Structures are given as C-alpha cells and as structure tokens.
Amino acid sequence: MLDPFGRTISYLRVSVTDKCDFRCHYCMSEEMEFLPREEVLSLEEMDRVCSAFISRGVEKLRLTGGEPLVRRGIMSLIKTLSRHLDSGALKELTLTTNGSQLRKYADELVEYGVKRINVSLDTLDPAKFAQITRLGVLEKVLDGIQAAKEAGLKIKINTVAVRGFNDSEFDQMISWCGDQGFDLTFIETMPLGEIGGTRSDQYLPLLEVKERLGERWTLSDNSLNTGGPSRYVDVAETGQKVGFITPLTEHFCDTCNRVRLTCTGTLYMCLGQDDSVDLRAPLRNSESDGPLLDAIDGAINNKPKGHEFVIDESNTEPSLARHMSVTGG
Ligand code: SAM
Ligand code: SF4
C-alpha cells in the first residue's frame, strides 16, 4: 500500500480494547468511561480486519490498547493471527503491554510466534509506580517481565519521561535495562485525551534528556530506523540500545509506515490527526471483504502528511480529544 506521499504502509497497530487495569496519569483520568460492548469489534472481526490488511501488504502487526492482555480471549486472536506468520505473509506479530498479565501469558505468546514485546515501565520505585499507574503493583509487573524473559521473549522497555517524577531515575533505568539485556525507549508525553489536569508541567523535551545522559554514558547514534518516531543510540557501557520518541521536539512523519485501528474499527491514518475511516460498517454489512478492502484503500489514499502536536504554556489543552488508549500507543 502506497500513500499519496510515496510512503509504503506495512505496519498496523491495533488497539484491541480501550480498557485497562491501570490508570496511568499521563494516559487516563481516574474515572474513565469505557466503550459499550456492542461498539467493540469481536475477536473474529478483528481477525478479519487484520487479515484484510495483511492481504494488502501489512507485514508487521502490533496489538496494543488499553491493555491488550486484559481483553478476554485475547490469546485466541493471537493464535489465529499466527497463521499469517506461518504462511510468511506476516513478518512480525508483537504487542505493547503494561506487563501485569505477562506471568500468565508469556509462554503462550512464544508458542504463537511472538518474538519480542514492548513493556511500559516508568519507574523502578514501588511507591512511585503505584502513584503513576494509580492501580499497578510494581512487583507483579517485574515478575511478569521476568516470566517473559525466561520464556525467551526479547523485551524493550518503554518509559514515558515525566518532568519532576522520573527524571532522576533515567541513569538507573539504563543500568537496569543493561543488566537485564533489555533495550529502552524514552517517550515524550503527548497531548492526547483529557487526563484531569494539565500536561505542560509533565512535559520533558527528550533532547534535553539525551544531552544530560550523554554526560554520564557514552552514546553513539544507531542507524536503526523502524519507520516510527523513534531514534536510537547505542550505550557503550551496557551494550544496549536506548531510543527517544520525540513527536514534539522532532517530527519524523516523512518516513511513517503505519496506521492505527481502534477497537471499534475506526482507522486513524495518523496518531496526531483526527482523519479517520470507519471500517466497522463495511465489515459488518458485508460477508465479502470487498467493501472492507475498498475502505482500507481509500483510507491509505487519504493518509495525512504529518501531525501538529504542541505542548507549552499557552497550549495546555489536549491537541486531540481521544486518549492514547483509544488509538493505541
Ligand atoms: N497498556 C499498554 C502499555 O501501557 O504498554 C499498551 C497501551 S499504552 C497506551 C502504549 C504506550 O503509550 C505506553 O508505553 C504508554 O506509556 C504510552 N502513553 C500513554 N499515554 C501517553 C501520552 N499521553 N503520551 C505519551 N505516551 C503515552
Ligand atoms: Fe493502561 Fe497503558 Fe494507558 Fe497505562 S499507558 S493507563 S497501562 S493503557
């Protein structure tokens, strides 16, 4: 699939549920209203949409959310999707998780062909972890990460950089990831969805972080480009990679290779724009995949050039009303 700006779209991220067992401060408000069940695609419908994208050339699929591993029956979806790995049409099936259910599912994930996962972890301090996630227990997540490691999954840790909260821990995170053999990616807070407070005091530009880390660690640019907004450095002392996702301080939209599907079947062609196409109606209204494929082709033809996020003193409102948990981070 080629978009109007000549970018090949080969990566689909799917939010399989908007629900979550945590309420991270930068992601959700304390009281969240989740979607009614009938609006959410069934697992069979998700398989059908994903398979349609794969037939159109998607080679990488990431399940996310909300928390993908709290969706009931999620393993049956992963199992059915794994047929595309077996056929060679899909090169990678992966997920982003908060880690709370990994002890339960790590072995099955490996069984169904998942090779690596991203796990979100913002702090190694149990009290701070409870504070930022509101409902999470650090010990359980670390145990889940351990289970994933033992099962043979390659792990990348995602850490959202929050000013005044975890900025004193970044060196420790790099050391810990180095010891564990994990890569690490720092993420700037993005202005997505109402969180019951302002984000301008949370926002920490990662260029500033990178400079500071460069005083303590020997960093060299790594040419790895995954088509996303992440840029990597190698850390000589640990032998691991550290990535920086900087949607606010630097745009990398010109090499974007992805689109995002919500759990209601809405396709967002850009994380930072409202442009969307409904795939649920063509999916539900026809047993044939023809209308669905037409809708997908139409969406790709309308993928916007880039996003326009801003967070500063005069822009404290969310740029977009929807939460990251809806579009899938
Ligand atoms: N629940 C899973 C998790 O936390 O990994 C998957 C979904 S979560 C929305 C995906 C990623 O988005 C996580 O790494 C999370 O930290 C990040 N995230 C959520 N809200 C964000 C925001 N407003 N700005 C930046 N990153 C955010
Ligand atoms: Fe849940 Fe992930 Fe959002 Fe945290 S970041 S509230 S774990 S969806």
Side-chain angles (χ1 to χ4, degrees):
M1 292 185 287
L2 209 57
D3 83 354
F5 304 97
R7 299 170 295 193
T8 300
I9 308 305
S10 56
Y11 182 10
L12 175 68
R13 298 169 74 109
V14 184
S15 175
V16 296
T17 175
D18 63 327
K19 295 199 179 113
C20 188
D21 51 345
F22 293 0
R23 297 283 184 282
C24 302
H25 272 270
Y26 47 76
C27 180
M28 296 189 180
S29 56
E30 193 154 17
E31 301 297 327
M32 289 289 290
E33 240 181 74
F34 295 111
L35 291 161
R37 200 180 201 189
E38 61 279 9
E39 287 196 24
V40 175
L41 298 188
S42 68
L43 294 171
E44 292 72 22
E45 288 171 329
M46 286 206 169
D47 181 78
R48 222 179 118 198
V49 188
C50 291
S51 300
F53 272 98
I54 293 166
S55 77
R56 277 291 192 262
V58 158
E59 296 184 331
K60 178 171 173 179
L61 200 59
R62 177 178 298 277
L63 306 185
T64 173
E67 173 47 41
L69 295 181
V70 301
R71 168 104 197 224
R72 193 173 304 155
I74 186 64
M75 281 301 144
S76 67
L77 175 64
I78 295 177
K79 184 177 178 184
T80 59
L81 288 173
S82 72
R83 72 185 183 283
H84 298 296
L85 289 172
D86 297 337
S87 76
L90 191 62
K91 303 252 180 326
E92 184 169 28
L93 177 58
T94 184
L95 70 159
T96 301
T97 172
N98 66 22
S100 69
Q101 310 299 313
L102 277 176
R103 170 62 64 188
K104 189 162 148 200
Y105 290 131
D107 287 335
E108 259 183 289
L109 289 173
V110 172
E111 190 184 327
Y112 300 141
V114 175
K115 295 213 160 29
R116 38 183 204 152
I117 55 172
N118 290 356
V119 185
S120 304
L121 183 66
D122 301 324
T123 170
L124 291 166
D125 178 303
K128 282 166 77 176
F129 187 82
Q131 184 196 337
I132 192 109
T133 61
R134 290 193 182 104
L135 301 173
V137 177
L138 179 65
E139 199 185 347
K140 190 169 177 201
V141 168
L142 292 180
D143 180 58
I145 292 174
Q146 201 52 40
K149 187 177 161 181
E150 285 160 16
L153 287 165
K154 200 167 168 348
I155 295 167
K156 182 158 74 78
I157 300 293
N158 280 348
T159 299
V160 176
V162 185
R163 187 184 289 283
F165 174 74
N166 59 0
D167 39 357
S168 59
E169 281 189 70
F170 294 160
D171 289 330
Q172 190 197 355
M173 291 294 286
I174 291 179
S175 298
W176 179 76
C177 286
D179 292 345
Q180 298 288 330
F182 303 155
D183 287 333
L184 169 66
T185 295
F186 292 109
I187 309 177
E188 277 174 358
T189 38
M190 297 176 226
L192 297 176
E194 198 48 66
I195 51 169
T198 161
R199 280 194 175 86
S200 56
D201 46 356
Q202 299 181 343
Y203 173 58
L204 177 59
L206 286 183
L207 286 179
E208 193 181 311
V209 173
K210 193 173 167 187
E211 257 178 48
R212 213 190 322 141
L213 293 176
E215 292 165 15
R216 160 80 171 74
W217 305 92
T218 314
L219 308 178
S220 53
D221 284 336
N222 181 300
S223 58
L224 178 76
N225 178 0
T226 58
S230 198
R231 289 298 174 269
Y232 292 91
V233 295
D234 292 312
V235 184
E237 290 84 352
T238 67
Q240 294 301 131
K241 282 196 290 294
V242 172
F244 299 89
I245 299 191
T246 55
L248 289 130
T249 43
E250 289 180 271
H251 287 203
F252 296 113
C253 303
D254 52 335
T255 55
C256 182
N257 61 355
R258 60 202 59 194
V259 288
R260 297 159 198 267
L261 184 73
T262 72
C263 61
T264 59
T266 302
L267 187 74
Y268 283 97
M269 287 82 88
C270 170
L271 177 65
Q273 294 282 1
D274 275 327
D275 305 58
S276 67
V277 167
D278 172 42
L279 299 183
R280 189 176 60 189
L283 180 76
R284 288 191 174 166
N285 294 344
S286 168
E287 276 182 24
S288 130
D289 282 344
L292 174 62
L293 289 167
D294 287 347
I296 291 174
D297 293 344
I300 300 302
N301 275 329
N302 281 306
K303 184 168 159 68
K305 191 162 183 224
H307 65 71
E308 291 139 17
F309 288 142
V310 190
I311 302 185
D312 59 29
E313 293 301 317
S314 55
N315 287 282
T316 54
E317 295 299 313
S319 291
L320 296 172
R322 65 181 192 274
H323 288 91
M324 185 77 120
S325 51
V326 172
T327 335

mmCIF file of all heavy atoms in Angstrom, residues 2 13 16 53 74 94 121 153 168 179 186 195 198 237 247 252 277-278 286 322:
data_model
loop_
_atom_site.group_PDB
_atom_site.id
_atom_site.type_symbol
_atom_site.label_atom_id
_atom_site.label_comp_id
_atom_site.label_asym_id
_atom_site.label_seq_id
_atom_site.Cartn_x
_atom_site.Cartn_y
_atom_site.Cartn_z
ATOM 1 N N LEU A 2 0.618 2.120 -0.938
ATOM 2 C CA LEU A 2 1.412 3.334 -1.064
ATOM 3 C C LEU A 2 0.511 4.537 -0.801
ATOM 4 O O LEU A 2 -0.565 4.636 -1.382
ATOM 5 C CB LEU A 2 1.961 3.393 -2.497
ATOM 6 C CG LEU A 2 3.278 4.103 -2.731
ATOM 7 C CD1 LEU A 2 4.404 3.498 -1.888
ATOM 8 C CD2 LEU A 2 3.643 4.035 -4.217
ATOM 9 N N ARG A 13 -1.105 -1.054 13.745
ATOM 10 C CA ARG A 13 -1.209 -1.160 15.210
ATOM 11 C C ARG A 13 -2.687 -1.240 15.551
ATOM 12 O O ARG A 13 -3.478 -0.438 15.070
ATOM 13 C CB ARG A 13 -0.569 0.061 15.871
ATOM 14 C CG ARG A 13 0.917 0.162 15.547
ATOM 15 C CD ARG A 13 1.484 1.488 15.969
ATOM 16 N NE ARG A 13 1.651 1.592 17.395
ATOM 17 C CZ ARG A 13 2.814 1.587 18.016
ATOM 18 N NH1 ARG A 13 3.929 1.453 17.329
ATOM 19 N NH2 ARG A 13 2.882 1.710 19.315
ATOM 20 N N VAL A 16 -6.814 -3.398 20.823
ATOM 21 C CA VAL A 16 -7.813 -4.478 20.911
ATOM 22 C C VAL A 16 -8.855 -4.208 21.992
ATOM 23 O O VAL A 16 -9.897 -4.862 22.037
ATOM 24 C CB VAL A 16 -7.162 -5.869 21.129
ATOM 25 C CG1 VAL A 16 -6.308 -6.258 19.929
ATOM 26 C CG2 VAL A 16 -6.344 -5.907 22.407
ATOM 27 N N PHE A 53 -5.831 -6.359 6.036
ATOM 28 C CA PHE A 53 -4.625 -5.514 5.933
ATOM 29 C C PHE A 53 -3.412 -6.335 5.489
ATOM 30 O O PHE A 53 -2.600 -5.871 4.684
ATOM 31 C CB PHE A 53 -4.323 -4.844 7.284
ATOM 32 C CG PHE A 53 -5.019 -3.532 7.459
ATOM 33 C CD1 PHE A 53 -6.199 -3.444 8.177
ATOM 34 C CD2 PHE A 53 -4.493 -2.372 6.906
ATOM 35 C CE1 PHE A 53 -6.847 -2.228 8.343
ATOM 36 C CE2 PHE A 53 -5.131 -1.146 7.066
ATOM 37 C CZ PHE A 53 -6.317 -1.077 7.780
ATOM 38 N N ILE A 74 -8.042 -12.912 24.376
ATOM 39 C CA ILE A 74 -7.018 -12.325 23.500
ATOM 40 C C ILE A 74 -6.079 -13.379 22.901
ATOM 41 O O ILE A 74 -5.635 -13.253 21.761
ATOM 42 C CB ILE A 74 -6.209 -11.228 24.262
ATOM 43 C CG1 ILE A 74 -5.235 -10.501 23.331
ATOM 44 C CG2 ILE A 74 -5.455 -11.778 25.458
ATOM 45 C CD1 ILE A 74 -5.893 -9.724 22.238
ATOM 46 N N THR A 94 3.480 -8.662 17.327
ATOM 47 C CA THR A 94 4.049 -8.232 18.600
ATOM 48 C C THR A 94 3.004 -7.485 19.411
ATOM 49 O O THR A 94 1.875 -7.302 18.958
ATOM 50 C CB THR A 94 5.315 -7.380 18.332
ATOM 51 O OG1 THR A 94 5.913 -7.033 19.586
ATOM 52 C CG2 THR A 94 4.997 -6.098 17.576
ATOM 53 N N LEU A 121 7.192 0.767 31.514
ATOM 54 C CA LEU A 121 7.658 0.818 32.905
ATOM 55 C C LEU A 121 8.305 2.186 33.115
ATOM 56 O O LEU A 121 9.325 2.480 32.505
ATOM 57 C CB LEU A 121 8.679 -0.311 33.131
ATOM 58 C CG LEU A 121 9.236 -0.486 34.531
ATOM 59 C CD1 LEU A 121 8.143 -0.913 35.501
ATOM 60 C CD2 LEU A 121 10.343 -1.545 34.527
ATOM 61 N N LEU A 153 11.284 -14.218 25.256
ATOM 62 C CA LEU A 153 10.858 -13.017 24.528
ATOM 63 C C LEU A 153 11.934 -11.940 24.640
ATOM 64 O O LEU A 153 12.521 -11.743 25.711
ATOM 65 C CB LEU A 153 9.543 -12.482 25.111
ATOM 66 C CG LEU A 153 8.303 -13.303 24.788
ATOM 67 C CD1 LEU A 153 7.144 -12.903 25.694
ATOM 68 C CD2 LEU A 153 7.910 -13.127 23.322
ATOM 69 N N SER A 168 14.886 11.753 37.644
ATOM 70 C CA SER A 168 16.089 11.462 38.423
ATOM 71 C C SER A 168 16.471 9.978 38.327
ATOM 72 O O SER A 168 17.483 9.547 38.852
ATOM 73 C CB SER A 168 15.840 11.817 39.892
ATOM 74 O OG SER A 168 14.734 11.059 40.358
ATOM 75 N N ASP A 179 21.674 -4.481 32.565
ATOM 76 C CA ASP A 179 21.869 -5.732 33.324
ATOM 77 C C ASP A 179 20.924 -6.831 32.833
ATOM 78 O O ASP A 179 21.273 -8.001 32.794
ATOM 79 C CB ASP A 179 21.587 -5.512 34.825
ATOM 80 C CG ASP A 179 22.637 -4.607 35.457
ATOM 81 O OD1 ASP A 179 23.692 -4.405 34.826
ATOM 82 O OD2 ASP A 179 22.385 -4.089 36.569
ATOM 83 N N PHE A 186 12.692 6.024 25.649
ATOM 84 C CA PHE A 186 12.033 7.113 26.372
ATOM 85 C C PHE A 186 11.006 7.762 25.436
ATOM 86 O O PHE A 186 11.249 7.908 24.233
ATOM 87 C CB PHE A 186 13.051 8.166 26.797
ATOM 88 C CG PHE A 186 14.007 7.683 27.855
ATOM 89 C CD1 PHE A 186 15.348 7.438 27.560
ATOM 90 C CD2 PHE A 186 13.568 7.446 29.151
ATOM 91 C CE1 PHE A 186 16.227 6.986 28.525
ATOM 92 C CE2 PHE A 186 14.439 6.994 30.130
ATOM 93 C CZ PHE A 186 15.772 6.758 29.824
ATOM 94 N N ILE A 195 -6.990 14.335 30.848
ATOM 95 C CA ILE A 195 -6.459 13.493 31.928
ATOM 96 C C ILE A 195 -6.772 14.070 33.304
ATOM 97 O O ILE A 195 -6.234 13.623 34.316
ATOM 98 C CB ILE A 195 -4.922 13.298 31.810
ATOM 99 C CG1 ILE A 195 -4.210 14.647 31.663
ATOM 100 C CG2 ILE A 195 -4.607 12.357 30.660
ATOM 101 C CD1 ILE A 195 -2.715 14.576 31.806
ATOM 102 N N THR A 198 -3.254 19.369 33.772
ATOM 103 C CA THR A 198 -2.537 19.873 32.609
ATOM 104 C C THR A 198 -1.294 19.033 32.348
ATOM 105 O O THR A 198 -0.779 18.388 33.245
ATOM 106 C CB THR A 198 -2.149 21.357 32.810
ATOM 107 O OG1 THR A 198 -1.112 21.667 31.901
ATOM 108 C CG2 THR A 198 -1.660 21.626 34.211
ATOM 109 N N GLU A 237 28.588 1.449 27.508
ATOM 110 C CA GLU A 237 28.798 0.790 28.809
ATOM 111 C C GLU A 237 27.880 -0.417 29.020
ATOM 112 O O GLU A 237 28.243 -1.336 29.744
ATOM 113 C CB GLU A 237 28.567 1.782 29.963
ATOM 114 C CG GLU A 237 29.628 2.875 30.094
ATOM 115 C CD GLU A 237 29.384 4.065 29.168
ATOM 116 O OE1 GLU A 237 28.484 4.001 28.302
ATOM 117 O OE2 GLU A 237 30.126 5.063 29.294
ATOM 118 N N PRO A 247 7.918 13.068 19.418
ATOM 119 C CA PRO A 247 6.941 13.601 18.468
ATOM 120 C C PRO A 247 6.830 15.113 18.567
ATOM 121 O O PRO A 247 6.372 15.770 17.632
ATOM 122 C CB PRO A 247 5.634 12.938 18.887
ATOM 123 C CG PRO A 247 5.839 12.582 20.313
ATOM 124 C CD PRO A 247 7.293 12.286 20.466
ATOM 125 N N PHE A 252 9.094 12.977 12.565
ATOM 126 C CA PHE A 252 9.668 12.035 11.598
ATOM 127 C C PHE A 252 8.576 11.508 10.687
ATOM 128 O O PHE A 252 8.598 10.358 10.270
ATOM 129 C CB PHE A 252 10.389 10.902 12.316
ATOM 130 C CG PHE A 252 11.572 11.370 13.104
ATOM 131 C CD1 PHE A 252 11.582 11.309 14.480
ATOM 132 C CD2 PHE A 252 12.676 11.898 12.453
ATOM 133 C CE1 PHE A 252 12.673 11.756 15.206
ATOM 134 C CE2 PHE A 252 13.771 12.352 13.169
ATOM 135 C CZ PHE A 252 13.769 12.285 14.550
ATOM 136 N N VAL A 277 -11.277 6.680 9.165
ATOM 137 C CA VAL A 277 -12.219 5.979 8.284
ATOM 138 C C VAL A 277 -12.841 4.845 9.090
ATOM 139 O O VAL A 277 -12.132 4.129 9.800
ATOM 140 C CB VAL A 277 -11.471 5.436 7.037
ATOM 141 C CG1 VAL A 277 -12.332 4.445 6.276
ATOM 142 C CG2 VAL A 277 -11.059 6.585 6.128
ATOM 143 N N ASP A 278 -14.150 4.711 8.973
ATOM 144 C CA ASP A 278 -14.823 3.633 9.703
ATOM 145 C C ASP A 278 -14.724 2.331 8.904
ATOM 146 O O ASP A 278 -15.178 2.269 7.766
ATOM 147 C CB ASP A 278 -16.295 4.008 9.919
ATOM 148 C CG ASP A 278 -17.068 2.831 10.500
ATOM 149 O OD1 ASP A 278 -16.524 2.159 11.403
ATOM 150 O OD2 ASP A 278 -18.205 2.576 10.051
ATOM 151 N N SER A 286 -21.175 -6.590 5.201
ATOM 152 C CA SER A 286 -20.959 -7.479 4.052
ATOM 153 C C SER A 286 -20.136 -8.699 4.464
ATOM 154 O O SER A 286 -19.154 -8.570 5.195
ATOM 155 C CB SER A 286 -20.224 -6.705 2.958
ATOM 156 O OG SER A 286 -19.769 -7.579 1.968
ATOM 157 N N ARG A 322 -9.191 12.308 21.829
ATOM 158 C CA ARG A 322 -9.128 10.878 22.142
ATOM 159 C C ARG A 322 -7.854 10.536 22.925
ATOM 160 O O ARG A 322 -6.802 11.134 22.726
ATOM 161 C CB ARG A 322 -9.236 10.040 20.870
ATOM 162 C CG ARG A 322 -8.099 10.205 19.916
ATOM 163 C CD ARG A 322 -8.289 9.353 18.667
ATOM 164 N NE ARG A 322 -7.066 9.319 17.894
ATOM 165 C CZ ARG A 322 -6.723 10.215 16.996
ATOM 166 N NH1 ARG A 322 -7.503 11.250 16.747
ATOM 167 N NH2 ARG A 322 -5.577 10.115 16.345
#
